[in-house]
Amino acid sequence: MSFLLKKLVLLIFLQVTLSQGSLLPMLRKTHVRLTNLLGEGSNLTIHCKSKDDDLGVHVLPFKGSFEWSFKPNFFVKNTLFFCNIQWQGKSMYFNSYDEERDLDGCGKYCYWDVTLKGPCLLKHEGGYDFCSDWPNKKV
Ligand SMILES: *[C@@H]1O[C@H](CO)[C@@H](O)[C@H](O)[C@H]1NC(C)=O
């Protein structure tokens, strides 16, 4: 391709992506955070993973947080982080970031409070969007 043609193609690409407003979100990172709000003296054990990344096992004291960030795959909306959380003999899995679900939901800041009810996704204006319940049975 000639230099001029390359330039033209790039210009058209930029024009299209910018006009759709889709280039900027592509460049921004998504942040996911889990916070232990289970009460004084509680220790929450978390283990989050995606297909490609294992974020390791972490023990969060009361009010402790664990946060990570990543660039979602913009063209194939399939980024998924799932977590196992354990507390007082209870254990459960939940999706802490599901690009298909969360891209237009929590967006770039997906903050979870792990409460006595279960992990709850925070609304940006305060309050909870929804909670997944802890299982009734202990393991
Ligand atoms: C939580 O962890 C701290 C530090 O390891 C420990 O001192 C405390 O006893 C733990 N609390 C419970 C309820 O297991």
Side-chain angles (χ1 to χ4, degrees), residues 41-43 59 88:
S42 64
N43 293 322
V59 178
Q88 288 195 354

Side-chain angles (χ1 to χ4, degrees), residues 64-117:
S65 288
F66 179 73
E67 178 171 337
W68 70 98
S69 60
F70 56 92
K71 286 213 181 91
N73 187 339
F74 189 75
F75 296 103
V76 187
K77 295 186 172 39
N78 64 357
T79 306
L80 180 72
F81 280 92
F82 53 96
C83 298
N84 173 253
I85 56 174
Q86 292 180 27
W87 166 65
Q88 288 195 354
K90 292 190 177 193
S91 173
M92 67 178 285
Y93 284 90
F94 71 102
N95 290 339
S96 54
Y97 186 82
D98 176 344
E99 189 167 5
E100 224 176 307
R101 178 192 72 191
D102 295 326
L103 196 61
D104 299 319
C106 47
K108 294 286 161 188
Y109 298 94
C110 299
Y111 290 169
W112 295 83
D113 280 349
V114 180
T115 69
L116 294 173
K117 187 169 167 52

